[in-house]
Amino acid sequence: KRTLNELTDKLVVNGENINNEATFDKLMCFARDVAAMDPKLVARGLDMLVTGFENQIKQVASTLSTPGYDPTRHAEALDRYAFLFQWAVERGESTASQSRTAQAKPRKRRGNASGTSSSGASTVAEVVPGWKGKLLDLYVHVQQLMQLPLGRVWNSVPERDTFIGVFMRLAHKAMENPAYAKDGDFQTALFSTLCVWLQNYNGLYSLVTMITQNLQHYEHLCEAMAQLVQLAYDEYGGTQLADEVLRDIAAKSFSSVHDKSGPKNTARFLVRLSQLAPKALLRQMGLLIRHLDSEAHIMRSAMSDVIGHLMLYLAAQEEQTEITKNQIGEYFDIIEQRFQDAHYLVRAKVLQVCQFVCSGPAKFPKRRPKLVGLIVGRLEDKATNVRKHAIRALSVMLETHPFSLDGAELRVERLEASLEKITDELAEMTAQTAKQSAK
């Protein structure tokens, strides 16, 4: 505790005190023993490192903005901070990962019939007070640092990229923890840092690899990766990131027999991205459309869902060009074909797509009659789930019909009375117009 107090005093006064060999040796001991130390001491030590790193960033910014000073003198201190963060965070998170793995394994000894582990907290965020908050502060500072002209701090691009790569690997490590993925503030800070890396430091292909690996191995990151692509696309000019990720997905072949997590994770990613950034998906639909013939029914179902969201996006455009109308028509043709899909879950998904498409602002009066006929045909489907969704789809069709001007009633008597009233009003207006013209 006394050693931590001494180190804190040194780093708070001047972040460059990390260059002192005795100080750095003690900090390395702290990073090495993170997993074995008292959680309260770990919290204080991490807070000390983040504070020292913040002070160092301020000194770098001051030097870069002051003519006549050599910014390369800060390179060693920044590298040392990166080394300590990598060691401390990776050891802490690795311990958490091992604990989560141990919890996931069934334990059936000594009467534990439920097969669950009785171990305590499984993540560092739960054990160390403020761990997640300090990691959040760290990435806020990293983002600020990456917005500086770091090419002037290091003598070569490989040295600069090695420094940045440390924090990008830590970001990847942090995303493996579901507790962080559920925190909106933490996710925003992390994703913003990754987007700055993409925009300023040629992180495109490394980020594409990171996203595709996360989709392959981590179910809890499917929708988060869609949010990352959407953030890069909308706010950081990351058009190429979306294109590369979608091209990679389009080139893959999925099998529902040998690969269960791959199609499921990719399907969730595509559906979420079609909601967040439909324009990005439209650019690559010519390649992605091949998944409608995928062996994995999950991918066929997801593509039907994606097409439904793209139809809503296209129909909402103010300028309805011939190209837009043709695209909507082609997507309707695909949806109508999917009514005959061999798998009942895909047929059920198509019926759900019909529900939310026809509930939107655009009513598609020319396509609805055929859709209604196909939905009625699914009332005799052999799958209960499909028949249930067919009934719901018919209800939606009735509730959202394109003639819902006066309360949406479809009784002939009401419509005839309304028609007669409007006809009389038109005749009266015509007569008045004729009289005025005669005068």
Side-chain angles (χ1 to χ4, degrees):
K1 188 180 294 186
R2 185 173 61 186
T3 303
L4 275 179
N5 289 336
E6 293 174 357
L7 293 173
T8 301
D9 292 339
K10 291 180 180 179
L11 294 184
V12 167
V13 171
N14 187 352
E16 285 197 353
N17 284 330
I18 197 172
N19 288 332
N20 179 277
E21 293 302 326
T23 301
F24 188 58
D25 287 344
K26 293 176 182 178
L27 290 171
M28 284 194 294
C29 291
F30 163 76
R32 180 194 63 194
D33 299 331
V34 157
M37 290 177 63
D38 184 287
K40 294 182 179 179
L41 293 179
V42 174
R44 288 184 57 189
L46 188 61
D47 181 62
M48 167 192 65
L49 283 177
V50 172
T51 303
F53 186 55
E54 181 184 8
N55 291 336
Q56 183 61 36
I57 292 172
K58 292 178 180 177
Q59 291 176 352
V60 172
S62 176
T63 301
L64 288 170
S65 61
T66 305
Y69 286 89
D70 181 16
T72 58
R73 65 187 179 88
H74 296 293
E76 184 179 359
L78 289 173
D79 287 337
R80 291 190 175 201
Y81 276 110
F83 172 77
L84 291 173
F85 280 124
Q86 180 179 17
W87 201 359
V89 175
E90 282 192 349
R91 284 187 66 81
E93 289 298 335
S94 295
T95 304
S97 299
Q98 292 168 7
S99 179
R100 285 194 296 272
T101 304
Q103 275 196 328
K105 291 181 180 179
R107 297 175 60 183
K108 298 182 179 181
R109 289 178 289 181
R110 297 188 180 183
N112 190 1
S114 63
T116 58
S117 171
S118 60
S119 60
S122 60
T123 65
V124 174
E126 294 171 348
V127 176
V128 177
W131 176 279
K132 184 167 64 174
K134 286 305 167 187
L135 286 186
L136 171 61
D137 293 341
L138 170 63
Y139 275 95
V140 170
H141 300 325
V142 170
Q143 184 182 353
Q144 294 170 351
L145 178 64
M146 291 173 65
Q147 290 171 343
L148 300 174
L150 296 183
R152 295 170 54 193
V153 178
W154 281 271
N155 293 319
S156 66
V157 173
E159 290 178 345
R160 182 202 67 188
D161 290 345
T162 300
F163 169 80
I164 295 174
V166 169
F167 293 101
M168 298 308 104
R169 287 192 296 274
L170 289 180
H172 193 190
K173 187 76 176 177
M175 285 190 289
E176 296 176 8
N177 190 337
Y180 300 150
K182 296 175 183 177
D183 189 310
D185 293 336
F186 189 90
Q187 195 177 86
T188 300
L190 208 62
F191 288 176
S192 298
T193 305
L194 291 172
C195 288
V196 173
W197 177 42
L198 167 71
Q199 187 179 49
N200 298 340
Y201 299 100
N202 300 320
L204 173 64
Y205 293 105
S206 298
L207 195 52
V208 170
T209 302
M210 182 188 296
I211 291 172
T212 52
Q213 287 179 351
N214 286 338
L215 290 179
Q216 186 175 359
H217 299 293
Y218 302 104
E219 184 177 346
H220 68 277
L221 289 177
C222 304
E223 296 186 0
M225 291 300 97
Q227 293 171 1
L228 171 58
V229 173
Q230 181 253 341
L231 179 66
Y233 186 86
D234 288 345
E235 298 185 20
Y236 292 88
T239 304
Q240 196 174 357
L241 174 66
D243 290 346
E244 291 295 332
V245 171
L246 293 174
R247 285 194 198 109
D248 185 83
I249 291 173
K252 290 182 178 180
S253 296
F254 297 99
S255 171
S256 57
V257 178
H258 303 292
D259 185 12
K260 294 184 178 180
S261 62
K264 182 179 179 182
N265 295 349
T266 305
R268 287 178 59 192
F269 169 80
L270 289 173
V271 171
R272 185 59 176 156
L273 188 61
S274 69
Q275 298 170 340
L276 296 174
K279 192 175 180 180
L281 261 172
L282 275 172
R283 293 166 55 89
Q284 300 300 327
M285 276 302 289
L287 299 175
L288 291 168
I289 204 74
R290 62 183 290 272
H291 286 305
L292 282 170
D293 299 322
S294 173
E295 292 182 24
H297 71 272
I298 296 176
M299 289 303 297
R300 301 200 302 274
S301 178
M303 288 306 300
S304 301
D305 208 345
V306 166
I307 287 172
H309 288 109
L310 294 183
M311 290 166 63
L312 287 178
Y313 170 74
L314 291 171
Q317 300 303 301
E318 294 183 4
E319 186 178 353
Q320 292 291 311
T321 63
E322 282 300 317
I323 296 177
T324 303
K325 293 177 182 178
N326 290 337
Q327 277 184 303
I328 294 174
E330 290 172 3
Y331 289 154
F332 262 114
D333 293 339
I334 293 172
I335 291 297
E336 291 167 0
Q337 292 169 9
R338 289 295 104 191
F339 273 89
Q340 308 300 322
D341 195 278
H343 203 285
Y344 76 97
L345 288 177
V346 181
R347 299 196 298 274
K349 175 57 69 176
V350 170
L351 289 165
Q352 290 177 307
V353 171
C354 291
Q355 292 176 44
F356 72 72
V357 167
C358 293
S359 298
K363 302 303 180 184
F364 307 109
K366 293 182 179 179
R367 305 300 299 234
R368 286 172 77 103
K370 187 173 182 180
L371 279 181
V372 170
L374 292 169
I375 293 170
V376 170
R378 290 300 99 199
L379 292 173
E380 299 179 1
D381 197 283
K382 60 183 179 182
T384 306
N385 195 31
V386 178
R387 296 197 299 270
K388 179 179 69 175
H389 284 292
I391 293 171
R392 289 180 180 174
L394 276 179
S395 300
V396 171
M397 288 290 185
L398 288 171
E399 293 170 358
T400 62
H401 65 87
F403 308 104
S404 55
L405 298 176
D406 300 314
E409 300 91 349
L410 287 176
R411 294 180 181 176
V412 177
E413 297 83 2
R414 289 181 177 271
L415 292 174
E416 287 179 344
S418 179
L419 175 62
E420 184 177 353
K421 179 181 177 182
I422 293 173
T423 303
D424 291 342
E425 290 176 355
L426 287 173
E428 184 178 349
M429 291 171 62
T430 304
Q432 291 178 354
T433 303
K435 289 179 180 179
Q436 292 175 357
S437 300
K439 291 180 180 179

